[in-house]
Amino acid sequence: MTDHMLKKMEAPALAAEGPLEDIQRRAEAIVNPASGLANDYLNLFNEIVMLIEQLPAMPELIEDILKWRPVTYQSYFSKSILPGRVSALEAYEKLDLTFRKDFESVVADLDRRAVGAAVAIRRQYKKDTDTSSPVMSELCERVGQALREILLTASDLVNHGRRTQRETEQERADRLIYGAHRRTA
């Protein structure tokens, strides 16, 4: 969405509240009170996952994938035009150190895997420029799914201020098999 379109959409809100009140309200809303983190940062990762998953059907996305680079939380909001960027940075500095390290660890894992995915896609693309080939499609599906799993952990941290315990595929299979076995016994 262009800046012009955003301004047109925001115009009624500015007129109703006044510019300073609207900016303050949006600035406060950017930081999740449960965690002290802003969900907007995760858009960086949602974007690369969507690009990767759509690549087999949209070959023009290859350049965007190959140009993708990690950006730290602080850098993301330092360069942001969002009204709440200052609030997001201030809240980040006040985070519990253990929680912040946990979040940064998850982000480092996302960064590493996203860069690794781009490298694997680049390698495959050099071998075969057909982005819709079965090999490329499988690669994009696999790395997209792996990134989404870690992104869920990051989302839990941002949205709930903690990691949510997730059932692994093996645990789910064991539960279903064991549960079915118990009902028939």
Side-chain angles (χ1 to χ4, degrees):
M1 200 174 279
T2 66
D3 289 338
H4 177 70
M5 292 167 66
L6 285 171
K7 286 177 185 171
K8 283 182 96 173
M9 289 173 48
E10 293 172 354
L14 292 176
E17 287 185 292
L20 293 178
E21 292 85 3
D22 181 58
I23 290 171
Q24 182 63 32
R25 180 185 52 77
R26 288 186 293 149
E28 291 169 0
I30 195 172
V31 176
N32 187 317
S35 66
L37 294 167
N39 199 12
D40 295 284
Y41 176 66
L42 298 182
N43 290 339
L44 176 71
F45 300 103
N46 283 315
E47 179 181 313
I48 189 63
V49 171
M50 287 190 310
L51 290 171
I52 289 169
E53 290 176 340
Q54 293 175 6
L55 178 63
M58 300 177 71
E60 65 272 16
L61 299 177
I62 189 72
E63 292 303 318
D64 290 331
I65 293 169
L66 300 180
K67 286 190 292 188
W68 188 89
R69 298 291 181 267
V71 176
T72 66
Y73 188 93
Q74 297 94 324
S75 181
Y76 180 85
F77 284 107
S78 293
K79 295 175 184 174
S80 174
I81 60 168
L82 292 170
R85 67 188 175 279
V86 173
S87 296
L89 288 168
E90 289 171 353
Y92 192 77
E93 291 302 317
K94 295 175 185 173
L95 288 176
D96 172 76
L97 192 55
T98 303
F99 177 75
R100 188 164 132 181
K101 285 183 178 184
D102 191 25
F103 177 71
E104 289 173 352
S105 172
V106 172
V107 168
D109 194 19
L110 273 167
D111 287 343
R112 186 176 61 257
R113 289 179 188 236
V115 168
V119 168
I121 289 169
R122 176 183 286 116
R123 244 185 242 133
Q124 180 57 36
Y125 187 70
K126 283 184 177 182
K127 288 180 191 174
D128 179 6
T129 59
D130 180 9
T131 61
S132 64
S133 73
V135 173
M136 183 67 86
S137 295
E138 167 64 25
L139 174 62
C140 290
E141 182 179 337
R142 194 174 65 247
V143 298
Q145 184 178 15
L147 285 168
R148 281 196 186 281
E149 288 174 15
I150 301 161
L151 195 49
L152 279 173
T153 301
S155 293
D156 284 343
L157 288 170
V158 171
N159 294 323
H160 306 293
R162 60 181 162 66
R163 290 184 190 223
T164 302
Q165 190 66 22
R166 296 197 189 282
E167 185 177 57
T168 66
E169 289 183 30
Q170 184 62 53
E171 289 168 337
R172 184 173 32 253
D174 291 346
R175 178 179 51 81
L176 292 171
I177 291 169
Y178 180 69
H181 182 273
R182 286 183 60 179
R183 285 190 293 261
T184 59

